Amino acid sequence: MQRILQPGEIESLDRTTLPRVRLPQPASLFADRAARLAQKAEGNPIGDYLRFLAQLVKAQQRAAASVQTAAPDAALIAQAQEHSMPLLPAASHIDPAWQGVLDQLIDAALQAPALPGALAPVLQALRAMPQDDRDNLARRVLVGVLADQQDLAAAPLVMAALQVVFADRASRLQESDIPYTDPATICPVCGSAPVASVLRIGGREAGLRYLHCGCCGTEWHMVRIKCSHCESTRGVRYQGLQSQGSDDKDEVVLAETCDQCHTYRKIANQEKDPLAEPLADDLATLLLDLLMSETPYARASMNPLLPMSEAEEGAAP
Ligand SMILES: [Zn+2]
Ligand SMILES: [Zn+2]
């Protein structure tokens, strides 16, 4: 016999059919990303750098297995929900465990066979830096205000360490802890910008589009064909590269452009390639950014593992 669902039941039904948030599982997040970077390095114009990043992300995976960060705080969760604010705005919630993670990543990077030569002195300087200076550097990197070229060169390593601690903290939250933020274009956990979005396959997430946080790796749902920067649903279009050796468009990664705010952000489609990973696929398609630099659309946010300042984003790398 059928019966009419009560409002509370409809809500809980909604929640079970559509996962609003996908909290990161650091072990698989970093393992999948490292594998994808290594795969996409083959024949890529920045293949050497992608190979180095694959080794760095492997080191993130090892660090994530042992890192100890602060437990979820019920008062903080209640406050964030009340004000529709991100739970742990990144620049003011840097877990002290990040220092040890940074040391681990520096050691691993210095031993990585694919380490770019120019990066070695940057890593040595980071290792010798006093903890307070490192904390200040981390805050500058998170708010996107870099002091000089040295900051810029160190930013990917700093972000890599922060990703490990923020992913760990995010992984210990429950979906019901996560506030609905306004705007919906920033990460509801750490307030950072999405690096890209992803159309997922499998289970309850099949065919849904998620924005992927460049810092903590949390993914949050946003309907398709909506600007992930200004939330406009008008004037959203897609541009892609030609596939190699064919007239078809490569549909795994497209640039989603918006005529309202004149920005673009990439969308990785797992229906076209089940191994697509938003952060790795964004890096592996720098040619698309090159193409986009000749259009009126500016990149909406940077890739945290690429040493490129906000001001340079519109320009070709
Ligand atoms: Zn986040
Ligand atoms: Zn827009």
Side-chain angles (χ1 to χ4, degrees):
M1 195 179 94
Q2 292 191 331
R3 65 184 183 91
I4 293 168
L5 289 169
Q6 298 305 305
E9 292 177 296
I10 293 170
E11 260 175 33
S12 64
L13 191 71
D14 257 346
R15 244 175 242 147
T16 52
T17 51
L18 192 155
R20 173 172 71 93
V21 174
R22 298 182 73 253
L23 290 165
Q25 297 177 332
S28 59
L29 172 74
F30 294 122
D32 293 349
R33 183 174 294 165
R36 184 63 166 175
L37 285 166
Q39 182 199 2
K40 298 305 275 185
E42 297 310 314
N44 196 294
I46 58 160
D48 288 343
Y49 188 61
L50 296 183
R51 261 182 286 277
F52 166 66
L53 287 182
Q55 291 159 0
L56 181 66
V57 176
K58 270 275 172 207
Q60 286 182 294
Q61 185 191 346
R62 291 193 294 274
S66 59
V67 73
Q68 302 254 330
T69 62
D73 175 338
L76 204 63
I77 291 168
Q79 193 188 12
Q81 289 186 343
E82 189 187 337
H83 298 287
S84 303
M85 291 277 292
L87 206 43
L88 306 164
S92 49
H93 288 85
I94 299 173
D95 195 287
W98 95 280
Q99 299 269 358
V101 173
L102 182 62
D103 287 328
Q104 276 176 270
L105 296 187
I106 290 170
D107 288 346
L110 286 170
Q111 287 165 20
L115 173 71
L119 212 48
V122 176
L123 297 175
Q124 306 285 11
L126 258 183
R127 178 143 69 180
M129 193 181 281
Q131 295 211 343
D132 282 355
D133 291 354
R134 285 175 165 196
D135 283 339
N136 287 330
L137 172 59
R139 280 188 281 272
R140 290 200 298 279
V141 169
L142 285 169
V143 299
V145 180
L146 301 178
D148 51 28
Q149 286 298 316
Q150 251 173 327
D151 272 14
L152 191 62
L157 248 289
V158 168
M159 273 308 298
L162 294 170
Q163 284 175 336
V164 172
V165 289
F166 277 103
D168 185 68
R169 288 191 79 171
S171 72
R172 292 194 282 141
L173 298 165
Q174 308 290 322
E175 185 181 326
S176 56
D177 295 338
I178 311 300
Y180 286 86
T181 55
D182 184 19
T185 52
I186 55 168
C187 173
V189 173
C190 77
S192 302
V195 59
S197 67
V198 56
L199 277 177
R200 291 217 158 262
I201 50 170
R204 298 188 296 143
E205 297 145 17
L208 297 180
R209 186 266 280 269
Y210 289 88
L211 306 188
H212 184 99
C213 177
C215 179
C216 73
T218 294
E219 293 190 351
W220 63 105
H221 176 250
M222 180 174 277
V223 293
R224 293 157 80 152
I225 321 180
K226 181 174 191 171
C227 174
S228 64
H229 189 62
C230 75
E231 299 183 63
S232 170
T233 51
R234 289 171 48 200
V236 174
R237 285 196 285 261
Y238 298 88
Q239 299 204 30
L241 294 167
Q242 294 299 99
S243 292
Q244 266 182 330
S246 111
D247 289 340
D248 297 336
K249 201 155 65 169
D250 180 350
E251 291 180 324
V252 180
V253 179
L254 296 175
E256 187 176 69
T257 64
C258 172
D259 288 339
Q260 297 291 314
C261 68
H262 301 284
T263 69
Y264 75 95
R265 184 172 273 130
K266 292 181 202 161
I267 178 163
N269 188 341
Q270 293 189 332
E271 287 165 1
K272 305 289 178 186
D273 184 341
L275 299 178
E277 197 281 331
L279 188 147
D281 279 64
D282 178 53
L283 281 169
T285 51
L286 269 184
L287 277 178
L288 183 53
D289 295 283
L290 208 59
L291 178 84
M292 296 308 296
S293 71
E294 288 161 17
T295 71
Y297 306 104
R299 228 186 118 94
S301 57
M302 58 195 278
N303 189 301
L305 298 186
L306 197 66
M308 203 192 293
S309 69
E310 301 274 353
E312 286 173 291
E313 269 165 39

